[in-house]
């Protein structure tokens, strides 16, 4: 996302011309959490990029309309399973991220009656001014 934001910032005042390209890039880039693109999770298949059409890639030149209809129905039938696998991958990704950050956390259990140092602001619901009574 940061790369796409930088690309829009480079264009200065001409960001409207660059916006469709940036949005297409965002929708057709696989996410690290799910391993799938947002487009494929929504429509069940990968998008054909304009560059593939211009360069006449193998996917474009071997297009058969009758076969495409059959494969499209198969993709739509498998969409629920694809989304379920993406949810499992995302849950595993979140667990790995959580473990990475929690690795550095020191767990401290407090007992009843034990003194605990806390910030004074946490005990007041409304912000206090410089000259207020605490």
């Amino acid at each position: 996302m940061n790369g796409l934001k930088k690309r829009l910032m480079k264009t200065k005042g001409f960001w409207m011309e660059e916006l469709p390209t940036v949005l297409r890039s965002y929708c057709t880039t696989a996410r690290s959490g799910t391993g799938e693109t947002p487009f494929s999770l929504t429509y069940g298949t990968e998008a054909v990029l304009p560059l593939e059409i211009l360069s006449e890639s193998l996917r474009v030149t071997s297009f058969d309309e009758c076969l495409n209809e059959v494969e499209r129905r198969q993709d739509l039938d498998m969409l629920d399973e694809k989304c379920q696998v993406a949810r499992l991958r995302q849950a595993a990704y979140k667990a790995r991220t959580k473990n990475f950050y929690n690795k550095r956390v020191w767990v401290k259990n407090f007992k009843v009656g034990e003194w605990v140092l806390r910030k004074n602001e946490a005990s007041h619901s409304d912000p206090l001014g410089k000259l207020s009574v605490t």
Side-chain angles (χ1 to χ4, degrees), residues 8-106:
L8 279 176
M9 293 310 225
K10 276 187 205 176
T11 60
K12 305 277 183 199
F14 301 103
W15 61 272
M16 286 297 292
E17 288 81 19
E18 195 68 25
L19 187 61
T21 307
V22 170
L23 291 175
R24 187 180 307 114
S25 299
Y26 180 75
C27 288
T28 57
T29 303
R31 303 287 170 262
S32 57
T34 60
E36 300 287 340
T37 65
F39 188 89
S40 70
L41 288 175
T42 304
Y43 299 107
T45 187
E46 290 296 330
V48 178
L49 302 175
L51 183 64
E52 288 181 290
I53 295 171
L54 293 175
S55 64
E56 295 187 5
S57 67
L58 180 63
R59 196 162 95 166
V60 173
T61 56
S62 63
F63 177 76
D64 180 17
E65 194 169 336
C66 296
L67 184 62
N68 182 56
E69 184 67 28
V70 172
E71 289 179 351
R72 180 75 179 122
R73 290 185 188 279
Q74 288 175 351
D75 286 343
L76 289 174
D77 289 341
M78 300 294 288
L79 184 60
D80 291 334
E81 293 171 20
K82 190 178 196 178
C83 289
Q84 182 64 27
V85 169
R87 279 190 218 103
L88 292 173
R89 276 193 206 135
Q90 187 175 25
Y93 177 76
K94 285 182 179 180
R96 284 192 311 269
T97 305
K98 178 183 158 193
N99 291 337
F100 175 78
Y101 285 106
N102 287 343
K103 197 183 320 180
R104 295 182 229 143
V105 174
W106 295 343

Side-chain angles (χ1 to χ4, degrees), residues 120-121 126-134:
N120 193 24
E121 298 91 35
D126 55 345
L128 301 175
K130 185 167 48 170
L131 301 175
S132 65
V133 177
T134 53

